[in-house]
Amino acid sequence: VQQKNTLTVFYTHKDGWRGTTYPETQEAELSRTLQKLKNGEDVKIVFHGDSITSGYTTSGDKENHRDLNGNSSPYDSSANYAPYISAYPSMVTEALKLKFPNANITKVNTAAPGGQSGSYGLERINLVTEQNPDLVVIAFGMNDSWMDTGNNHGKYYYKNFYIQMMNKVLEKNPNCEFIFVPCMLPNMAVNSFLKNDASFDSHERHLYEIQKEYPDNHIAVVPTTALWRDFLALGKKASDYTGALDNHPNDWGHSIYAQLILNAFGL
């Protein structure tokens, strides 16, 4: 009810951006994918993540939904409502198709609601590798907020799960490139999220650490969490960017995810 009765307004500020986060373009990390796009070649992009990447609480979700076993589950499009805005994986793909009309771009979404970086991300990485993708966008974190905030590389930790997912993909396709997407901030008035607040910043930091530790692996990282910190500091409320006052972005929030990823391409 809350989703269908909320109006999202897009606007610009005369005084420009007043935050401290300025996402950098990362064309060098995505050079292979960009070259294929410019050459009009086939490009396959796989999005691997949780319910945010599945498109939950967008007004026009058209993503394939999966269960935690990796099976595609039926999606009822009657749940959509005006203004019928797509989830960020579709926003990104459609923008790339407009920019590179001669390229044959295929999007595959392997995300699952409730997915964690280990128990779904790594365990179901075969859903990604079997696609033999050119680019993999990995976006976990909301369901991992209970994980460590330190630098432990142990078996059960967020950073190590990302490294293992990356290595599994590279075993199948050594030329694959990656975009790591840390998590937005949920409604911090919810006690369980407030209790684990520091983990969101920790996760984003770990992804940048992986980028530095594996400089030859063509990894782009976008500062989703840092940008959301700016939004809160500038006065945004959970009702401004969530779809149901919880832990999913509304249409505006999904557009931020899409803009961050497209910015990594230099677009």
Side-chain angles (χ1 to χ4, degrees):
V1 172
Q2 190 262 345
Q3 292 171 238
K4 294 185 178 182
N5 289 280
T6 298
L7 178 65
T8 301
V9 179
F10 290 74
Y11 55 90
T12 58
H13 290 276
K14 290 183 178 179
D15 57 352
W17 172 237
R18 293 181 288 116
T20 61
T21 303
Y22 290 86
E24 298 179 356
T25 59
Q26 300 181 63
E27 295 101 314
E29 305 298 344
L30 304 173
S31 58
R32 296 170 185 150
T33 302
L34 276 167
Q35 193 59 54
K36 284 191 170 187
L37 290 169
K38 292 174 182 177
N39 291 345
E41 299 178 38
D42 293 345
V43 174
K44 181 176 286 188
I45 306 173
V46 176
F47 292 81
H48 195 47
D50 51 31
S51 55
I52 294 175
T53 304
S54 292
Y56 273 41
T57 66
T58 51
S59 60
D61 180 15
K62 297 187 289 289
E63 303 300 315
N64 291 329
H65 290 186
R66 295 178 182 270
D67 59 28
L68 290 174
N69 292 318
N71 302 311
S72 294
S73 55
Y75 177 66
D76 181 8
S77 61
S78 67
N80 288 341
Y81 50 92
Y84 305 104
I85 302 298
S86 300
Y88 84 84
S90 290
M91 287 189 194
V92 169
T93 305
E94 292 308 311
L96 290 175
K97 287 180 178 179
L98 287 173
K99 180 66 176 179
F100 305 101
N102 294 325
N104 179 29
I105 304 172
T106 302
K107 171 180 69 71
V108 177
N109 194 331
T110 59
Q116 297 177 352
S117 57
S119 60
Y120 182 80
L122 180 58
E123 289 184 9
R124 305 299 174 199
I125 197 63
N126 63 295
L127 297 172
V128 177
T129 58
E130 68 189 16
Q131 295 294 330
N132 196 29
D134 299 288
L135 173 66
V136 179
V137 179
I138 306 181
F140 290 94
M142 190 60 72
N143 302 311
D144 294 280
S145 62
W146 54 272
M147 284 191 181
D148 69 302
T149 58
N151 288 310
N152 194 316
H153 288 224
K155 180 179 178 181
Y156 299 105
Y157 292 86
Y158 181 86
K159 180 177 181 177
N160 197 46
F161 289 143
Y162 262 79
I163 292 171
Q164 291 184 69
M165 283 188 281
M166 174 182 66
N167 288 338
K168 291 287 186 182
V169 173
L170 291 174
E171 285 176 10
K172 180 73 178 292
N173 181 6
N175 291 319
C176 187
E177 297 178 324
F178 301 88
I179 301 178
F180 290 169
V181 183
C183 196
M184 61 169 273
L185 294 177
N187 184 349
M188 301 309 291
V190 178
N191 186 58
S192 60
F193 293 129
L194 184 60
K195 181 176 65 176
N196 296 314
D197 183 17
S199 66
F200 295 102
D201 301 304
S202 173
H203 292 167
E204 182 169 278
R205 184 177 68 253
H206 286 177
L207 298 185
Y208 278 106
E209 288 173 1
I210 297 172
Q211 184 186 48
K212 290 180 180 179
E213 291 168 9
Y214 296 86
D216 297 327
N217 284 11
H218 284 243
I219 306 164
V221 182
V222 299
T224 319
T225 310
L227 195 62
W228 244 269
R229 291 286 181 201
D230 279 355
F231 293 154
L232 294 181
L234 293 169
K236 285 287 184 186
K237 304 177 182 65
S239 56
D240 295 326
Y241 61 80
T242 61
L245 286 176
D246 60 355
N247 57 353
H248 297 98
N250 59 12
D251 291 346
W252 183 85
H254 270 268
S255 77
I256 298 301
Y257 269 74
Q259 289 176 66
L260 282 168
I261 293 170
L262 291 169
N263 182 75
F265 279 100
L267 305 179

